[in-house]
Amino acid sequence: MNTSIEHIVGRRIWDSRGRPTVEVEVELASGARGRGVAPAGASRGSNEAIDLRDGGLELGGYGVRSALANVNGPIASALRGMDAMQQAQVDAALIELDGTSNKARMGGNATIATSLAVLHAAAAAAGEPLWRYLAGGAPVRLPLPEIQIFGGGAHAGRRVDIQDFLVMPLGAQSFDEALFMVAEVYHAAGDLMAARGSRMGVADEGGWWPDFGSNEEALEVLAQAIHKAGYRNDEVAISLDIAASEFGRNGRYKLALESREFGTEEWLELLLGWVRRYPIISVEDPVAEDDADGMRAFTQAVGRSVQVIGDDFLVTDAARVATAAALGQCNAVLIKPNQAGTVTETRRTMEVARELGWGAVVSARSGETEDVAIVHLAIGWNTGQLKVGSFSRSERMAKWNEALRIEEQLGSGAHYAGWQALPVRSTP
Ligand code: PGA
Ligand code: ZN
């Protein structure tokens, strides 16, 4: 079969915030096709691959004409005739064509959509679902999901400072049961908000709108919701994405909701107090991306009892993960393909994390589409954890539902990662 790349077409589609984004379709000489879509973040790390936008007045500056011109012009020319089964070579060509350290010329949105489209076409040529093509016969697990119940920060008009209040169904026996448990907690939280007279729809990733008087109040209501749904802390634990780069820099942290400001040390005291008082098993970006000392201090303070995930801090970069590990910062990495800009770089970061014994959480962005590729990456690469936002809005549910279908395909060979996917020693 001839698996050389014959056609590449970029088109503008629209994401879950009604903003334009890049979709790329690849066709091989054999007729096999693949489609890749770029998601978009709102609380981005400054070292991520550049999300190339047109600027100007049209579409609030979010236009993707320039990114699409890159796909249909130089990228299509460079990749035509290459073998889609050689993902590393295709991605190396994209990296070379771009020529910058952060995909600033071609746009990380153009490169990741293209890279994913080629991957999908290769799986189609092999006649396999993407997850199975990626696994290549190695064992896989259904991931421990990390699911948002309240959305805050940049995803909710900064109504609260902390970005994600999430749960992890550690005690489920299967992925199917894990979603059942989260559904009960999600609706219990909605009922609690209604009873308080503060149920006001949902934030960007589908979590309940965070109408609270303080950041800790959200934590309290979340703990109540877990209890109300009938679960113990070792069955459903709390996870936080602080996204501290959004309100901290130069060692100062400002909680706008509470009109309070902290230095790094006081800030860590506050977080560690939460970790002691609530069943928190995982914390992402506890400090700002420029606070390397703070990250080390937090990671050392929690030891191996809490997963510490680097998102803005590590930007899916293999070298940053290796450096952070050497310095005792974080013990897990968020894996966002569009932060890296190609499938191969994303995979490398995941592999480095695995070699280090770290956790690896494949993650969506706040701006998403119906695309479910990341579910296949999480399962095919056997990362053990998956974060795609909350338990409402179809760009989120499409992904959870895809994992259910894969669990069914695996049949009696399906194995749910559960708490064992965490780099921690004890349950909360
Ligand atoms: P983003 O947020 O997609 O808006 O960057 C997701 C996250 O911080 O994990
Ligand atoms: Zn994050």
Side-chain angles (χ1 to χ4, degrees), residues 43 163-164 241 243 284-285 311-312 334 336 387:
S43 69
Q163 183 179 283
D164 292 314
D241 181 1
E284 181 175 326
D285 284 350
D311 172 13
D312 295 353
L334 208 69
K336 288 170 164 170
K387 179 189 185 204

Side-chain angles (χ1 to χ4, degrees), residues 91-316:
D91 289 337
L94 285 171
I95 291 164
E96 194 190 323
L97 175 67
D98 175 76
T100 69
S101 60
N102 60 353
K103 313 288 188 300
R105 192 166 300 138
M106 287 299 123
N109 43 352
T111 60
I112 193 60
T114 304
S115 184
L116 284 166
V118 170
L119 178 68
H120 278 287
E128 292 192 302
L130 182 55
W131 68 267
R132 195 183 291 150
Y133 175 69
L134 289 169
V140 298
R141 291 169 299 171
L142 273 301
L144 169 65
E146 191 185 0
I147 304 188
Q148 187 196 66
I149 305 298
F150 299 114
H155 305 155
R158 302 184 196 280
R159 180 62 188 76
V160 297
D161 304 278
I162 307 303
Q163 183 179 283
D164 292 314
F165 297 86
L166 314 103
V167 292
M168 295 181 127
L170 304 177
Q173 297 302 309
S174 65
F175 192 83
D176 180 59
E177 190 192 357
L179 291 192
F180 177 96
M181 291 161 80
V182 172
E184 298 277 39
V185 174
Y186 182 76
H187 291 290
D191 292 346
L192 286 172
M193 295 305 273
R196 293 158 47 97
S198 59
R199 180 162 159 172
M200 301 178 178
V202 300
D204 277 12
E205 295 189 8
W208 299 111
W209 187 259
D211 190 34
F212 297 108
S214 71
N215 289 282
E216 187 168 350
E217 201 184 352
L219 257 178
E220 259 165 45
V221 176
L222 180 52
Q224 280 169 27
I226 293 169
H227 184 73
K228 185 172 191 283
Y231 296 113
R232 297 187 314 262
N233 298 335
D234 59 339
E235 294 172 318
V236 179
I238 293 177
S239 163
L240 297 175
D241 181 1
I242 308 292
S245 304
E246 291 290 308
F247 56 85
R249 74 172 45 79
N250 298 328
R252 303 299 299 171
Y253 294 86
K254 287 184 195 163
L255 293 183
L257 176 61
E258 301 164 27
S259 306
R260 290 203 287 170
E261 191 175 333
F262 307 83
T264 297
E265 222 167 284
E266 308 156 276
W267 172 243
L268 293 185
E269 252 168 57
L270 178 118
L271 287 186
L272 292 168
W274 288 354
V275 167
R276 275 192 301 274
R277 291 197 298 284
Y278 299 94
I280 295 171
I281 194 75
S282 180
V283 181
E284 181 175 326
D285 284 350
V287 296
E289 61 184 3
D290 66 358
D291 196 346
D293 292 341
M295 189 62 99
R296 183 173 187 281
F298 184 78
T299 307
Q300 300 309 307
V302 297
R304 285 260 160 182
S305 63
V306 174
Q307 172 169 258
V308 183
I309 308 173
D311 172 13
D312 295 353
F313 191 74
L314 298 170
V315 292
T316 316

Side-chain angles (χ1 to χ4, degrees), residues 52-54 63-71 105-106 110:
L52 188 64
R53 302 285 175 166
D54 299 335
V64 290
R65 283 182 211 279
S66 43
L68 290 174
N70 289 341
V71 172
R105 192 166 300 138
M106 287 299 123

